């Protein structure tokens, strides 16, 4: 994370559903990914979907995503929320990484290039995501600002620090992500030169105080 609203074909068009983000890097949408949908699709029959819709209504206005709609009226793409997912592969990790995002310590995330394919395109600059906590509740809105694919052993110290984990050093990043990729990769074995998707993002809502 595809997990975002503009991966692949126009996923914000009426009737379309965004592809899920792969369960890689420090994310695990396979557990908590919630495809965006219309209120009629996810309203009363899906309490979590309704909660995400309500969060999106607030977040898009507070983040300035609704300014154009005030003048022109909102189309389907403005009212359908972006994909929702959580960091990590367990609730505790999801909550810890979310806290780092909300504090401003975490402004980047990484995933294995191998987990993307025809049905899950790479993240794109400008796309939005709703971040869930460990219990699946929407807590933050982020926007992707850059995407780069590099070998694992060429990830930079600057990027490792931007991920905001452990002591924020490149050494701890490599140790932690080596363990993570070894644990979650399916159909591939970890290699020091494996391709890693390095994605940076900005927190759009809530604003830091």
């Amino acid at each position: 994370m595809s997990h975002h609203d503009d991966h692949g074909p126009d996923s914000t068009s009426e009737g379309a559903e965004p592809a899920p983000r792969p369960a890689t890097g420090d994310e695990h949408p396979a557990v908590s990914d919630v495809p965006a949908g219309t209120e009629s699709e996810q309203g009363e029959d899906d309490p979590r979907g309704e909660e995400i819709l309500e969060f999106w209504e607030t977040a898009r206005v507070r983040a300035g995503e609704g300014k154009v709609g005030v003048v022109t009226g909102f189309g389907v793409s403005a009212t359908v929320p972006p994909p929702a997912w959580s960091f990590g592969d367990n609730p505790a990790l999801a909550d810890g990484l979310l806290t780092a995002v909300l504090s401003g310590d975490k402004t980047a995330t990484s995933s294995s290039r191998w987990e993307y394919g025809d049905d899950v395109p790479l993240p794109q600059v400008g796309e939005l995501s709703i971040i869930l906590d460990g219990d699946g509740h929407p807590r933050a809105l982020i926007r992707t600002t850059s995407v780069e694919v590099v070998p694992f052993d060429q990830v930079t110290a600057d990027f490792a620090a931007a991920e905001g984990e452990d002591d924020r050093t490149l050494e701890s990043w490599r140790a932690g992500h080596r363990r993570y990729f070894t644990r979650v990769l399916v159909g591939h074995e970890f290699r020091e030169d494996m391709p890693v998707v390095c994605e940076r993002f900005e927190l759009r809502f809530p604003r830091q105080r």
Side-chain angles (χ1 to χ4, degrees):
M1 195 139 62
S2 105
H3 67 293
H4 296 317
D5 55 359
D6 59 358
H7 281 184
D10 183 9
S11 60
T12 58
S13 59
E14 188 169 8
E17 292 186 359
R21 172 170 242 183
T24 52
D26 53 10
E27 303 155 9
H28 192 66
V31 171
S32 53
D33 189 40
V34 180
T38 63
E39 187 170 359
S40 60
E41 293 171 336
Q42 290 194 341
E44 296 180 357
D45 295 335
D46 186 346
R48 188 167 63 167
E50 184 175 11
E51 182 181 8
I52 289 173
L53 284 169
E54 292 175 354
F55 176 87
W56 171 236
E57 285 298 307
T58 300
R60 68 180 175 87
V61 174
R62 298 285 183 85
E65 301 296 330
K67 290 181 179 178
V68 175
V70 172
V71 177
T72 63
F74 294 112
V76 172
S77 62
T79 56
V80 174
W85 46 272
S86 63
F87 290 104
D89 60 349
N90 60 75
L93 186 55
D95 286 339
L97 295 175
L98 170 64
T99 297
V101 170
L102 294 175
S103 70
D105 290 336
K106 183 174 179 62
T107 58
T109 185
S110 56
S111 53
S112 166
R113 178 65 179 85
W114 293 329
E115 296 300 318
Y116 295 83
D118 294 339
D119 296 331
V120 187
L122 292 177
Q124 298 292 316
V125 172
E127 65 188 8
L128 297 168
S129 292
I130 293 173
I131 305 302
L132 308 175
D133 63 20
D135 292 323
H137 301 296
R139 294 286 307 281
L141 178 70
I142 63 172
R143 181 189 294 277
T144 299
T145 57
S146 72
V147 180
E148 183 180 14
V149 180
V150 300
F152 179 88
D153 57 7
Q154 292 183 30
V155 171
T156 66
D158 178 68
F159 183 83
E163 285 225 39
E165 301 173 36
D166 301 319
D167 62 2
R168 306 182 72 168
T169 64
L170 181 58
E171 290 73 18
S172 67
W173 183 92
R174 286 176 174 170
H177 284 73
R178 187 179 291 111
R179 290 192 301 269
Y180 187 89
F181 288 134
T182 299
R183 184 169 76 243
V184 303
L185 284 175
V186 176
H188 293 275
E189 293 185 0
F190 172 82
R191 297 199 321 247
E192 291 293 330
D193 64 346
M194 63 174 281
V196 176
V197 180
C198 297
E199 178 181 358
R200 294 178 186 261
F201 57 82
E202 61 179 355
L203 178 64
R204 299 291 293 157
F205 177 81
R207 300 290 191 183
Q208 287 180 254
R209 297 182 178 180

